[in-house]
């Protein structure tokens, strides 16, 4: 996820999600997409007490919820790309740019990730259950190259963290901010090629449950959404000036692309469909983003969507543990809508607790470091006479 994502990407630093940032300063359309992405993922991974009781139509819809991860990837590529391209006019130096970028991203994503990872690692002592497949590769975000059986959702975080590592090296180190926009489509070709080469070498009797790990979890196999997002960030000065009717048409076209992709590939794509489905989703979600970004909501819906969007990263990290607890305890309050609300409420509740106790302190620490580095940079750019005047001499 990015990110989860798969988180996610707007930096917060105030006491609670309800006051983390003035709602008027946020882009409602992006919050809507972020909320839809996490709710789709939560629906896909809902506990069996919910899934087994769903009406047939809803069960089919929930089975497509994994696509929320691909929406997170497009959002991450776009939001992080905006951070990269928006600073193009500043001459801060490559080292300073890299330091600032990585501190912003890792100060946002790493604290909570390692808290959740510690929770999984301590399970043998705290809950008497093993951390299946656990190891040091989780510390370095390499688990997406293994067949995961625990903390499974972390595979997408690996893709995002690798993206956070490489993108600034390209943008700042190799002056990628000056590259033409079409260059950012090349990672899509890389992923299509990587999936095809892997698919071509698969033995005919490979177990179906192993296909996602082989075709889509490795980082090079799943760059489509991130690349589309970066492309949109690079070209945003152009399409953000389009008339609302043209952007709406893009959103409608994106919905058509998504419908065709889902209709042709189904809930669990196999065979050749597994090669191009992620590209279709990336293009479709990218077009929808163009159409929906300028959306403005009324106060009531905005508040609720904002809460879900702010808590999406924590919800993505914690939902697997919540599902495990519900299923191990056999918790059921009767009707499936009630059980679904309990599951969603518990997941968002745990996410809120760690948002307040982990994410916000991490953001404050990050912001203090950024301010300190900025002060030192500005001081280094001043002449001795200017420093004397600032010191009152």
């Amino acid at each position: 996820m990015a990110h989860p994502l798969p988180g996610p990407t707007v930096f917060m630093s105030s006491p609670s999600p309800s006051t983390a940032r003035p709602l008027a300063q946020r882009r409602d359309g992006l919050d809507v997409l972020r909320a839809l992405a996490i709710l789709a993922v939560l629906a896909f991974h809902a506990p069996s007490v919910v899934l087994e009781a769903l009406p047939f139509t809803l069960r089919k819809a929930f089975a497509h919820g994994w696509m929320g991860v691909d929406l997170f990837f497009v959002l991450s590529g776009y939001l992080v790309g905006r951070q990269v391209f928006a600073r193009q006019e500043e001459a801060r130096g490559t080292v300073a740019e890299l330091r600032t970028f990585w501190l912003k991203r890792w100060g946002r994503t790493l604290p909570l990730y390692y808290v959740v990872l510690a929770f999984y690692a301590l399970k043998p002592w705290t809950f008497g259950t093993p951390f299946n497949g656990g190891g040091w590769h989780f510390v370095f975000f390499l688990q997406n190259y293994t067949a995961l059986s625990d903390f499974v959702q972390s595979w997408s975080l690996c893709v995002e963290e690798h993206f956070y590592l490489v993108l600034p090296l390209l943008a700042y180190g190799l002056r990628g901010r000056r590259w033409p926009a079409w260059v950012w489509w090349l990672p899509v070709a890389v992923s299509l090629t990587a999936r095809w080469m892997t698919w071509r070498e698969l033995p005919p009797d490979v177990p179906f449950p192993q296909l996602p790990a082989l075709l889509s979890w490795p980082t090079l196999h799943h760059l489509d959404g991130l690349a589309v997002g970066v492309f949109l960030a690079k070209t945003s000065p152009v399409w953000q000036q389009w008339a609302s009717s043209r952007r709406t048409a893009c959103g409608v076209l994106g919905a058509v692309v998504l419908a065709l992709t889902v209709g042709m590939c189904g809930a669990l794509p196999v065979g050749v469909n597994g090669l191009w489905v992620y590209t279709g989703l990336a293009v479709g979600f990218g077009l929808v983003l163009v159409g929906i970004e300028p959306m403005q909501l009324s106060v009531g819906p905005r508040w609720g969507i904002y809460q879900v969007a702010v808590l999406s990263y924590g919800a993505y990290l914690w939902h697997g543990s919540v599902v495990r607890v519900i299923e191990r305890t056999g918790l059921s309050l009767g009707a499936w809508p009630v059980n679904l609300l309990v599951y969603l409420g518990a997941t968002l509740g745990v996410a809120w607790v760690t948002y307040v106790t982990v994410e916000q302190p991490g953001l404050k620490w990050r912001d203090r470091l950024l301010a300190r580095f900025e002060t030192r940079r500005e001081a280094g750019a001043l002449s001795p006479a200017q420093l004397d005047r600032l010191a009152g001499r």
Side-chain angles (χ1 to χ4, degrees), residues 115-171:
V115 167
V116 177
L117 179 59
F119 172 85
Y120 277 91
L122 293 174
K123 282 199 309 176
W125 295 274
T126 55
F127 295 97
T129 58
F131 181 16
N132 295 314
W136 285 104
H137 52 296
F138 280 84
V139 176
F140 301 106
F141 293 97
L142 298 174
Q143 64 266 34
N144 61 324
Y145 292 95
T146 65
L148 294 173
S149 56
D150 217 348
F151 202 7
V152 176
Q153 68 271 27
S154 65
W155 74 266
S156 65
L157 302 179
C158 299
V159 177
E160 293 235 14
E161 294 300 332
H162 301 162
F163 168 65
Y164 298 154
L165 180 65
V166 173
L167 178 65
L169 293 175
L170 297 176

Side-chain angles (χ1 to χ4, degrees), residues 13-306:
S13 59
S14 55
S16 70
S18 60
T19 60
R21 184 176 175 182
L23 298 186
Q25 298 180 20
R26 295 176 65 90
R27 294 175 183 263
D28 292 346
L30 299 182
D31 277 344
V32 168
L33 292 177
R34 193 180 291 108
L36 287 175
I38 188 58
L39 291 176
V41 171
L42 295 181
F44 179 73
H45 290 289
S48 57
V49 69
V50 173
L51 294 177
E52 293 173 0
L54 287 174
F56 176 77
T57 304
L58 274 180
R59 191 180 306 176
K60 292 284 288 184
F62 277 38
H64 293 81
W66 59 269
M67 298 177 184
V69 174
D70 291 273
L71 176 52
F72 271 131
F73 281 147
V74 173
L75 284 167
S76 290
Y78 175 60
L79 291 165
V80 175
R82 281 200 323 187
Q83 176 187 336
V84 167
F85 296 125
R87 301 168 63 87
Q88 188 165 2
E89 75 283 356
E90 298 184 22
R92 300 167 59 90
T94 300
V95 173
E97 293 282 15
L98 291 172
R99 181 182 61 200
T100 298
F101 181 93
W102 285 329
L103 186 55
K104 280 187 174 182
R105 298 312 314 149
W106 291 335
R108 174 70 181 90
T109 60
L110 295 188
L112 184 57
Y113 171 79
Y114 284 120
V115 167
V116 177
L117 179 59
F119 172 85
Y120 277 91
L122 293 174
K123 282 199 309 176
W125 295 274
T126 55
F127 295 97
T129 58
F131 181 16
N132 295 314
W136 285 104
H137 52 296
F138 280 84
V139 176
F140 301 106
F141 293 97
L142 298 174
Q143 64 266 34
N144 61 324
Y145 292 95
T146 65
L148 294 173
S149 56
D150 217 348
F151 202 7
V152 176
Q153 68 271 27
S154 65
W155 74 266
S156 65
L157 302 179
C158 299
V159 177
E160 293 235 14
E161 294 300 332
H162 301 162
F163 168 65
Y164 298 154
L165 180 65
V166 173
L167 178 65
L169 293 175
L170 297 176
Y172 303 130
L174 298 181
R175 299 188 177 184
R177 290 178 293 182
R178 301 181 181 180
W179 297 346
W182 65 264
V183 172
W184 298 103
W185 280 95
L186 293 180
V188 176
V190 170
S191 288
L192 281 168
T193 303
R195 290 194 294 268
W196 174 75
M197 293 179 65
T198 301
W199 177 74
R200 187 183 62 174
E201 299 298 327
L202 288 177
D205 58 344
V206 62
F208 180 76
Q210 293 183 14
L211 289 177
L214 295 171
L215 286 179
S216 67
W217 288 3
T219 300
L220 288 181
H221 293 55
H222 217 129
L223 298 174
D224 314 65
L226 294 167
V228 168
V230 173
F231 171 80
L232 290 177
K234 176 68 173 178
T235 57
S236 60
V238 176
W239 57 260
Q240 285 181 342
Q241 302 303 316
W242 288 351
S244 60
S245 59
R246 189 174 184 183
R247 294 183 66 171
T248 300
C250 280
V252 172
L253 178 59
V256 171
V257 171
L258 291 174
L260 290 174
T261 301
V262 172
M264 295 178 65
C265 296
L268 296 174
V270 296
V272 177
N273 288 338
L275 303 183
W276 67 269
V277 61
Y278 307 107
T279 305
L281 292 174
V283 172
F285 284 134
L287 289 168
V288 168
L289 187 153
V290 171
I292 205 173
E293 188 202 38
M295 173 187 289
Q296 292 184 339
L297 300 173
S298 58
V299 175
R302 178 188 295 178
W303 184 89
I305 288 172
Y306 172 66

Side-chain angles (χ1 to χ4, degrees), residues 312-328:
S312 60
Y313 182 52
Y316 187 80
L317 286 172
W318 284 116
H319 78 271
S321 297
V322 174
V323 170
R324 189 73 60 87
V325 169
I326 291 175
E327 295 192 336
R328 284 184 176 274

Side-chain angles (χ1 to χ4, degrees), residues 331-356:
L331 178 63
S332 176
L333 299 181
W336 69 262
V338 178
N339 290 327
L340 177 60
L341 289 176
V342 169
Y343 160 58
L344 295 177
T347 302
L348 293 173
V350 174
W352 179 82
V353 170
T354 52
Y355 180 84
V356 173

